[in-house]
Amino acid sequence: MAFNINEFNIFFTAYQQRFVHFATTYVHDETIAEDIVIESMMYYWENRRRLDADTNVPAYVLTAIKHKCIDYLRHEQLHQASLDNISDLYEWDFSARIASLQNFEPYEIFTREIQDIVNQTLQNLPEQTRKIFKMSRDENKSHKEIAKIFNISTKGVEFHIYKAVNALRASLKDYLPTSLLFFYLI
């Protein structure tokens, strides 16, 4: 039974709310359900001439609504699965970043970096200045003992240590506060 436009309008008015209610039951969104119903009724109207005269129009439209709801739900299911995968990826990324930060020890990095700078700076010093500084710091020798070893005055030892400290202070100015340098190097 193919409707003419007036009969279709009566059919549309009589069934629209029932069809929307049916679709809303599955898609859980009344606006989406209304769109599905309108599309299904338009589908019927566009294909009405190809249907048999004894076609049950409400059942035909409801079948179209059913298939459109299934398509919508499959699309949403796929969309949700993609979001879940993205969410899992974000969760893994956050967990990795948190773990990385928890294991990060800035002091270790700066200690190694500072030690490398100290070693390089000392390596660039004249040999006698470097040896005098190391004897003072590493071997805890007094200025007097060092002066005796190098056959120079204690003022000469102080000069070499001062020279080494100034070179280290310049090299480490971006890493250590001046007060810490003062206590560490002098």
Side-chain angles (χ1 to χ4, degrees), residues 3-20 37-38 41 57-58 61:
F3 292 139
N4 66 35
I5 192 71
N6 289 334
E7 291 170 323
F8 181 75
N9 285 337
I10 293 168
F11 167 76
F12 182 83
T13 304
Y15 283 91
Q16 180 192 17
Q17 282 307 92
R18 289 187 233 173
F19 288 159
V20 168
V37 168
I38 297 292
M41 288 193 166
V57 176
V61 173

XYZ file of all heavy atoms in Angstrom, residues 3-20 37-38 41 57-58 61:
208
model
N 1.454 5.134 -0.042
C 0.709 6.313 0.399
C 0.870 7.438 -0.603
O 1.914 7.574 -1.248
C 1.260 6.840 1.735
C 1.035 5.935 2.917
C 2.032 5.756 3.851
C -0.178 5.305 3.121
C 1.841 4.978 4.970
C -0.376 4.513 4.238
C 0.636 4.340 5.148
N -0.147 8.276 -0.647
C 0.048 9.561 -1.309
C 0.553 10.507 -0.226
O 0.620 10.146 0.947
C -1.238 10.050 -2.001
C -2.355 10.368 -1.015
O -2.094 10.846 0.092
N -3.595 10.106 -1.407
N 0.892 11.707 -0.567
C 1.513 12.632 0.395
C 0.624 12.912 1.599
O 1.123 12.982 2.733
C 1.972 13.941 -0.294
C 2.869 14.777 0.636
C 0.788 14.765 -0.745
C 4.192 14.208 0.867
N -0.684 13.061 1.401
C -1.583 13.324 2.541
C -1.648 12.129 3.481
O -1.629 12.284 4.700
C -2.993 13.683 2.045
C -3.029 15.052 1.397
O -2.195 15.910 1.714
N -3.974 15.252 0.491
N -1.715 10.925 2.898
C -1.754 9.718 3.721
C -0.422 9.546 4.475
O -0.407 9.126 5.634
C -2.013 8.481 2.857
C -3.416 8.442 2.273
C -3.567 7.336 1.240
O -2.616 7.084 0.484
O -4.650 6.735 1.224
N 0.663 9.878 3.785
C 1.974 9.778 4.432
C 2.066 10.745 5.605
O 2.584 10.390 6.664
C 3.105 10.052 3.424
C 4.469 9.946 4.047
C 5.035 8.710 4.349
C 5.193 11.078 4.386
C 6.274 8.605 4.939
C 6.444 10.986 4.985
C 6.996 9.739 5.260
N 1.564 11.963 5.459
C 1.584 12.939 6.559
C 0.783 12.427 7.749
O 1.203 12.589 8.901
C 1.064 14.296 6.095
C 2.070 15.038 5.229
O 3.274 14.772 5.303
N 1.574 15.934 4.390
N -0.357 11.820 7.500
C -1.170 11.249 8.583
C -0.398 10.103 9.250
O -0.327 10.012 10.480
C -2.541 10.768 8.049
C -3.375 11.972 7.594
C -3.290 9.949 9.103
C -4.617 11.607 6.798
N 0.203 9.232 8.425
C 1.007 8.121 8.946
C 2.164 8.652 9.787
O 2.401 8.176 10.894
C 1.525 7.275 7.764
C 2.609 6.307 8.145
C 2.305 5.135 8.834
C 3.941 6.561 7.822
C 3.311 4.245 9.183
C 4.948 5.671 8.177
C 4.630 4.509 8.852
N 2.866 9.648 9.247
C 4.014 10.232 9.942
C 3.597 10.768 11.306
O 4.228 10.477 12.321
C 4.622 11.357 9.087
C 5.827 11.988 9.695
C 7.083 11.431 9.554
C 5.716 13.160 10.437
C 8.204 12.008 10.118
C 6.825 13.746 11.017
C 8.072 13.175 10.853
N 2.500 11.525 11.336
C 2.024 12.102 12.589
C 1.601 11.011 13.572
O 1.871 11.101 14.772
C 0.830 13.054 12.317
O 1.238 14.041 11.364
C 0.364 13.740 13.576
N 0.978 9.966 13.091
C 0.492 8.894 13.955
C 1.632 8.052 14.532
O 1.538 7.601 15.680
C -0.478 7.996 13.181
N 2.690 7.828 13.781
C 3.738 6.897 14.197
C 5.049 7.539 14.668
O 5.867 6.855 15.289
C 4.052 5.914 13.057
C 3.008 4.836 12.917
C 1.924 4.996 12.075
C 3.119 3.647 13.636
C 0.959 4.013 11.943
C 2.165 2.655 13.505
C 1.090 2.838 12.666
O 0.145 1.858 12.543
N 5.249 8.776 14.363
C 6.546 9.389 14.651
C 6.968 9.213 16.104
O 8.065 8.749 16.388
C 6.552 10.875 14.276
C 7.903 11.502 14.579
C 7.902 13.017 14.519
O 6.854 13.640 14.553
N 9.087 13.583 14.442
N 6.119 9.581 17.049
C 6.489 9.496 18.468
C 6.743 8.065 18.909
O 7.664 7.799 19.680
C 5.423 10.145 19.344
C 5.479 11.671 19.360
C 6.873 12.193 19.714
O 7.706 12.444 18.844
N 7.145 12.349 20.993
N 5.946 7.128 18.428
C 6.166 5.720 18.783
C 7.520 5.234 18.266
O 8.255 4.541 18.968
C 5.063 4.838 18.189
C 3.736 5.023 18.868
C 2.757 4.001 18.342
N 1.572 4.730 17.897
C 0.569 4.188 17.265
N 0.579 2.921 16.956
N -0.477 4.907 16.934
N 7.807 5.606 17.010
C 9.095 5.208 16.419
C 10.271 5.870 17.150
O 11.287 5.242 17.391
C 9.126 5.560 14.936
C 8.249 4.692 14.064
C 7.833 5.146 12.819
C 7.833 3.418 14.463
C 7.047 4.365 11.997
C 7.036 2.644 13.646
C 6.626 3.111 12.404
N 10.097 7.128 17.506
C 11.168 7.829 18.236
C 11.381 7.153 19.588
O 12.519 6.942 20.008
C 10.852 9.329 18.392
C 11.800 9.997 19.392
C 10.914 10.044 17.043
N 14.527 8.184 12.826
C 13.131 8.020 12.408
C 12.867 8.824 11.135
O 12.269 8.309 10.178
C 12.164 8.419 13.544
C 10.729 8.528 13.037
C 12.254 7.403 14.684
N 13.302 10.048 11.083
C 13.086 10.891 9.896
C 13.773 10.247 8.685
O 13.186 10.144 7.608
C 13.644 12.322 10.116
C 12.908 13.023 11.251
C 13.598 13.134 8.847
C 11.469 13.359 10.967
N 11.814 7.168 7.571
C 10.559 7.527 6.879
C 10.863 8.092 5.488
O 10.133 7.806 4.532
C 9.746 8.485 7.722
C 9.120 7.817 8.923
S 7.876 8.867 9.672
C 7.051 7.733 10.729
N 3.491 -0.908 5.789
C 4.335 0.288 5.859
C 4.905 0.506 7.263
O 6.116 0.742 7.403
C 3.581 1.531 5.351
C 4.441 2.778 5.517
C 3.174 1.347 3.902
N 4.118 0.446 8.342
C 4.706 0.635 9.669
C 5.820 -0.386 9.964
O 6.870 -0.036 10.512
C 3.535 0.472 10.630
C 2.340 0.824 9.829
C 2.657 0.351 8.435
N 8.955 0.576 7.856
C 9.659 1.730 8.435
C 10.352 1.305 9.731
O 11.510 1.681 9.986
C 8.700 2.913 8.668
C 9.399 4.032 9.428
C 8.158 3.426 7.334
